[in-house]
Amino acid sequence: MKAYFDKIYKGTYKEFVQKLSESLDKEKKEFIVTANPETFMIGESDPAFDLILRAAYTTIVPDGIGVVKAANMLGIPLKDRITGVELCEALFSLLDDKKKKLYLFGAKKEVVQALVKKIERTYPHIEISGYTDGYVQERERVMEEIIEREPDVALVALGIPYQEILIDQYYDRFPKGIFIGVGGSFDVLSGTKKRAPRLFIKCNMEWLYRIMSEPKRIGRFYRSNIRFIKKVRLLQRGAGHED
């Protein structure tokens, strides 16, 4: 796990958005993984995802406050959280300014359709090169379509680690583009699901709001986060030397 922390992006949110802006201008490829504690714990148990997190061509950004605090405990100073929702919103603004193309893949059909309508209203200069819900049987066909349509940004909302593994399988074949696995962000971005109130966001307590809103999450939260805390403490004491 220490290798994940060593690799994580350490600049500010504004610096990262500027980096993406330059990548869009130069048609440079980017593969971004937004990380919370569960991300790192899945990486420890899933060999395919572990390789993605370690790969030189991927960028890990600290989505969850737990990752930021853990990094600081390990003497790795992180300046900002870079959440998936805020990153998507920044990319929408960049695409609108630059009149570039977007592909959306994932979530329920009504959710992705609502997001497309919202983008068309709010960002009229974005070209929606295509969109597909996450319940299709032939995901490979969708990826082939994305390759063919050459979007400048492709957001894949299929859940971790499936979205990242799918992107990775086709990444070499994309001629350009910024690719991000965004989990449940389409629900929030479309307005289908409310994001946490501003106070929770400001206090980095969105995780608590999600548990309060969806109590069934508590088991998943406990399993991933408690294990994560134990692992970080071992690393902090120098007992976790493995990468």
Side-chain angles (χ1 to χ4, degrees):
M1 185 188 291
K2 182 64 162 54
Y4 307 158
F5 282 106
D6 289 338
K7 187 172 178 285
I8 204 164
Y9 182 78
K10 299 170 181 66
T12 66
Y13 168 78
K14 287 185 177 180
E15 289 167 347
F16 192 66
V17 171
Q18 180 59 37
K19 177 180 185 291
L20 295 183
S21 178
E22 292 169 1
S23 292
L24 286 171
D25 290 339
K26 297 174 182 177
E27 296 192 344
K28 179 183 175 184
K29 284 202 297 185
E30 299 276 1
F31 183 174
I32 299 160
V33 179
T34 60
N36 59 27
E38 185 178 23
T39 308
F40 284 0
M41 296 313 300
I42 293 173
E44 291 245 298
S45 60
D46 186 316
F49 190 46
D50 174 66
L51 288 174
I52 291 168
L53 291 176
R54 293 170 180 268
Y57 54 84
T58 61
T59 301
I60 303 172
V61 296
D63 183 312
I65 187 61
V67 170
V68 175
K69 290 185 174 180
N72 292 336
M73 287 170 61
L74 296 172
I76 303 169
L78 299 184
K79 296 177 181 178
D80 277 338
R81 282 180 69 201
I82 301 176
T83 70
V85 169
E86 290 169 355
L87 200 52
C88 289
E89 290 173 336
L91 282 168
F92 293 160
S93 293
L94 290 173
L95 292 173
D96 192 54
D97 290 342
K98 300 174 189 293
K99 297 183 172 68
K100 290 188 177 285
K101 297 190 294 183
L102 171 68
Y103 197 105
L104 303 170
F105 179 23
K108 295 179 180 177
K109 183 175 289 187
E110 60 269 27
V111 171
V112 71
Q113 288 176 340
L115 178 55
V116 168
K117 289 178 182 178
K118 184 176 179 181
I119 290 170
E120 288 174 340
R121 289 194 309 269
T122 312
Y123 307 97
H125 300 300
I126 293 179
E127 179 184 338
I128 304 290
S129 61
Y131 65 91
T132 308
D133 70 80
Y135 291 82
V136 295
Q137 294 298 316
E138 298 178 357
R139 292 180 173 180
E140 295 77 10
R141 177 190 59 76
V142 178
M143 298 306 288
E144 293 288 349
E145 181 175 277
I146 296 172
I147 291 168
E148 180 182 337
R149 298 192 181 182
E150 297 187 10
D152 298 285
V153 171
L155 303 178
V156 183
L158 299 174
I160 188 171
Y162 312 107
Q163 57 200 13
E164 288 82 10
I165 291 173
L166 190 62
I167 292 169
D168 189 61
Q169 288 172 350
Y170 291 84
Y171 189 66
D172 286 345
R173 295 180 57 196
F174 296 120
K176 65 173 183 177
I178 294 170
F179 299 86
I180 313 177
V182 295
S185 294
F186 286 6
D187 295 290
V188 176
L189 292 163
S190 66
T192 307
K193 184 183 291 186
K194 289 185 178 180
R195 194 179 179 189
R198 188 174 298 277
L199 178 61
F200 283 82
I201 296 171
K202 186 177 180 180
C203 297
N204 292 312
M205 298 287 281
E206 284 179 272
W207 60 270
L208 178 59
Y209 178 80
R210 285 196 293 270
I211 289 175
M212 291 167 58
S213 303
E214 301 177 67
K216 63 182 181 180
R217 283 178 170 265
I218 194 164
R220 173 178 162 184
F221 175 85
Y222 178 84
R223 286 190 299 272
S224 61
N225 283 265
I226 297 302
R227 288 171 56 229
F228 176 75
I229 291 168
K230 289 179 179 177
K231 183 72 176 181
V232 170
R233 285 178 176 166
L234 283 173
L235 289 170
Q236 190 180 25
R237 293 200 298 264
H241 293 298
E242 74 279 6
D243 289 330

